[in-house]
Amino acid sequence: MNTAIFEARRHAFIDHMQPGSVAIFKSAPQFMLAIDAELPYRQDSDFYYLTGFEEPEAMCLLTPQHEEHQYVLFVRPRNPDMERWTGKRAGVEGAMQDYGAHMAYEIGQLDEKLPAYLHDISTIYYSNGLGETFDGEIGALFRRLHYREGFSLRALIDPGDIFDELRVVKQEEELALLRIAAEITEAGHLAAMKATKPGMYEYEVQAALEYAFRVRGASRNAFESIVASGSNATTLHYVANRRRMADGELLLVDAGAEYDYYNGDVTRTFPVNGRFSPAQCAIYELVLKAELAAIESVKPGIRFEEIHAITVRVITEGLLALGLLQGELDTLIEEKKYSDFYMHSSSHWLGVNTHDRGKYKVHGESPMLLPGMVFTIEPGIYIAEDAEGVEPRYRGIGVRIEDNVAVTADGCEVLTPHVPKTVAEIEAFMAGHHTEID
Ligand code: GLY
Ligand code: MN
């Protein structure tokens, strides 16, 4: 993305700040797998959203009242020895030239340079809890500044409310990236479905899926891929992916590609041998009915929680019809009896985080949908292997179906429409009638 987009976001953030305040943001830490072995680095989503800067050990200041520098970066210094091991650093010059900082300093100069930006400031926006060490360091720094410079901190404000507001409605350039992430995610799911055969290991399907992501430019996953066969599918975030898949089982694949920091998140559940058993089909059709009804309902003006409520009603009705629940429909819903089988929410916001910024309650109420909001719809039914009072043929079945939608002026755009979803589509696809996305 070009620097003008990040600049516009900083301006939008500044517009929400209180007069006489400064905002401080910290980059994500670099986690280590072992000594000298770095885990792949991903910038903190809020930090990236405002700066586009992808290095660790950085800080961003937004200082709207400063005469010259409203945007300051503190970054790692250039270091040819270290750069030989871990890659090029922007350094102070790069931070200004390539990332638009009005002024940049080395991160080690924080103590020395920060006071000049805090004259007449008593309110700081800062996400406490980003890291105990850093919180401690910042706290100690403010205390030193108080002692040395007379700096008086009156209020620390969590910037979360501003990010929630800015990030929950996507701009055109964000929708464009989400469409690409969605399309790559679909391609991965098609590859997974195509590859699956009885006797394979879950990780082999994962490899096919993630190969399709990588060759299309998604260098990272949105999250660890969930490739869950048989009763593993009843573990919502099963990521071990080490089991050998047997004939007659279902496979649940929940995976997404990240493209330029924007994420897809799709789930499909399909039979390993290409044909649903009657019991699998009954559960699958029910989840599908709930998912389609929820998608159908999406439009501006309805509340976010109504989507979940629709899936709950369809699933509870269906569980009653199948004999998995007994009682009166409205009472079962009121008493949340469905939650033995459907224990998560139907939807979450989707964007730079897979579970993106955005509120689920505003003044105690579920928010109204607005054009540009993007979220998942992902009902599921999970029947434990040892579920009591359940016919054996239903035990150990886990089904989730998930798509990504963007709210439009009068309904929604399904961002992930190309992966087979009906029983007939899945069975035809797995019988060799493949469709491709390139
Ligand atoms: N796809 C994983 C999740 O939404 O939690
Ligand atoms: Mn999801």
Side-chain angles (χ1 to χ4, degrees):
M1 271 191 281
N2 63 42
T3 51
I5 287 173
F6 296 105
E7 191 178 0
R9 291 173 178 179
R10 291 191 294 273
H11 281 298
F13 190 96
I14 284 170
D15 284 346
H16 286 75
M17 288 170 67
Q18 292 187 3
S21 63
V22 162
I24 301 180
F25 307 102
K26 171 82 172 87
S27 62
Q30 168 72 67
F31 292 107
M32 303 299 288
L33 179 65
I35 193 155
D36 293 340
E38 295 87 9
L39 282 170
Y41 186 73
R42 186 187 193 269
Q43 188 54 278
D44 172 79
S45 293
D46 289 334
F47 195 96
Y48 178 79
Y49 182 84
L50 291 178
T51 64
F53 191 73
E54 296 194 68
E55 294 182 29
E57 294 178 69
M59 279 205 19
C60 163
L61 288 189
L62 295 183
T63 51
Q65 82 304 324
H66 195 276
E67 280 180 8
E68 292 166 80
H69 314 147
Q70 290 84 44
Y71 169 40
V72 180
L73 282 176
F74 289 81
V75 301
R76 298 180 303 184
R78 298 291 311 273
N79 180 334
D81 287 344
M82 283 308 295
E83 288 179 47
R84 182 179 301 285
W85 288 94
T86 53
K88 197 163 164 7
R89 299 174 174 192
V92 167
E93 272 177 31
M96 293 171 72
Q97 267 165 27
D98 304 332
Y99 294 91
H102 302 155
M103 179 50 76
Y105 305 103
E106 295 182 6
I107 186 74
Q109 294 176 288
L110 190 62
D111 231 52
E112 173 194 344
K113 298 294 182 188
L114 190 58
Y117 294 97
L118 298 179
H119 289 315
D120 302 323
I121 296 296
S122 58
T123 301
I124 307 257
Y125 288 83
Y126 170 66
S127 285
N128 200 38
L130 282 183
E132 269 178 38
T133 314
F134 186 71
D135 289 347
E137 280 169 14
I138 278 281
L141 177 60
F142 289 155
R143 278 192 296 279
R144 279 199 301 281
L145 292 179
H146 179 90
Y147 181 70
R148 252 173 25 207
E149 314 271 339
F151 169 68
S152 97
L153 175 64
R154 293 274 157 77
L156 264 188
I157 304 184
D158 182 348
D161 283 347
I162 303 181
F163 284 120
D164 283 343
E165 189 174 330
L166 295 181
R167 284 176 50 185
V168 77
V169 174
K170 271 58 183 179
Q171 306 296 309
E172 264 319 311
E173 70 271 4
E174 298 186 281
L175 288 170
L177 292 174
L178 282 163
R179 286 191 191 99
I180 298 173
E183 206 172 293
I184 298 174
T185 298
E186 291 185 302
H189 278 272
L190 290 176
M193 219 179 255
K194 205 191 244 186
T196 300
K197 304 262 177 314
M200 282 172 73
Y201 284 87
E202 293 163 343
Y203 53 70
E204 294 180 79
V205 177
Q206 180 181 2
L209 171 99
E210 293 180 5
Y211 177 78
F213 287 174
R214 299 291 174 271
V215 294
R216 286 168 178 78
S219 55
R220 284 192 288 249
N221 290 4
F223 51 91
E224 286 298 303
S225 301
I226 296 165
V227 183
S229 62
S231 65
N232 285 342
T234 64
T235 300
L236 301 176
H237 282 183
Y238 168 85
V239 293
N241 302 348
R242 268 183 230 135
R243 183 174 172 275
R244 195 164 185 203
M245 305 179 289
D247 202 358
E249 294 177 340
L250 289 179
L251 178 65
L252 182 155
V253 179
D254 181 349
E258 178 193 302
Y259 184 81
D260 209 359
Y261 279 82
Y262 283 79
N263 294 292
D265 182 6
V266 165
T267 308
R268 287 293 183 268
T269 309
F270 50 92
V272 166
N273 66 12
R275 307 281 302 176
F276 286 89
S277 73
Q280 291 166 347
C281 191
I283 302 297
Y284 188 88
E285 292 283 19
L286 180 47
V287 177
L288 181 61
K289 189 173 171 194
E291 203 234 12
L292 294 174
I295 292 176
E296 186 67 29
S297 75
V298 175
K299 59 172 190 245
I302 74 157
R303 290 194 189 276
F304 187 79
E305 69 184 4
E306 288 177 48
I307 299 156
H308 179 69
I310 287 166
T311 64
V312 161
R313 181 158 286 272
V314 173
I315 284 178
T316 309
E317 263 172 5
L319 291 173
L320 253 178
L322 292 174
L324 287 155
L325 286 178
Q326 285 91 32
E328 198 269 321
L329 179 63
D330 287 327
T331 314
L332 292 171
I333 291 175
E334 207 168 302
E335 294 179 354
K336 296 192 162 79
K337 294 291 189 211
Y338 55 85
S339 65
D340 285 347
F341 303 106
Y342 177 30
M343 61 294 282
H344 59 76
S345 168
S346 71
S347 303
H348 55 80
W349 306 117
L350 181 68
V352 183
N353 285 346
T354 305
H355 290 200
D356 207 26
R357 283 279 197 188
K359 291 212 186 311
Y360 295 101
K361 282 273 159 65
V362 180
H363 304 305
E365 296 224 68
S366 177
M368 292 280 192
L369 295 187
L370 298 169
M373 288 177 162
V374 176
F375 53 88
T376 66
I377 299 187
E378 51 177 308
I381 295 178
Y382 314 90
I383 307 171
E385 251 180 329
D386 56 358
E388 282 174 23
V390 169
E391 278 184 63
R393 65 200 189 110
Y394 290 127
R395 290 189 193 147
I397 291 180
V399 173
R400 179 162 65 253
I401 306 173
E402 176 176 23
D403 284 295
N404 306 154
V405 300
V407 183
T408 59
D410 56 1
C412 75
E413 173 187 351
V414 179
L415 302 176
T416 51
H418 297 111
V419 193
K421 191 157 72 169
T422 66
V423 166
E425 282 166 0
I426 290 174
E427 292 189 344
F429 182 88
M430 294 197 70
H433 304 296
H434 294 146
T435 50
E436 304 280 348
I437 297 186
D438 278 311

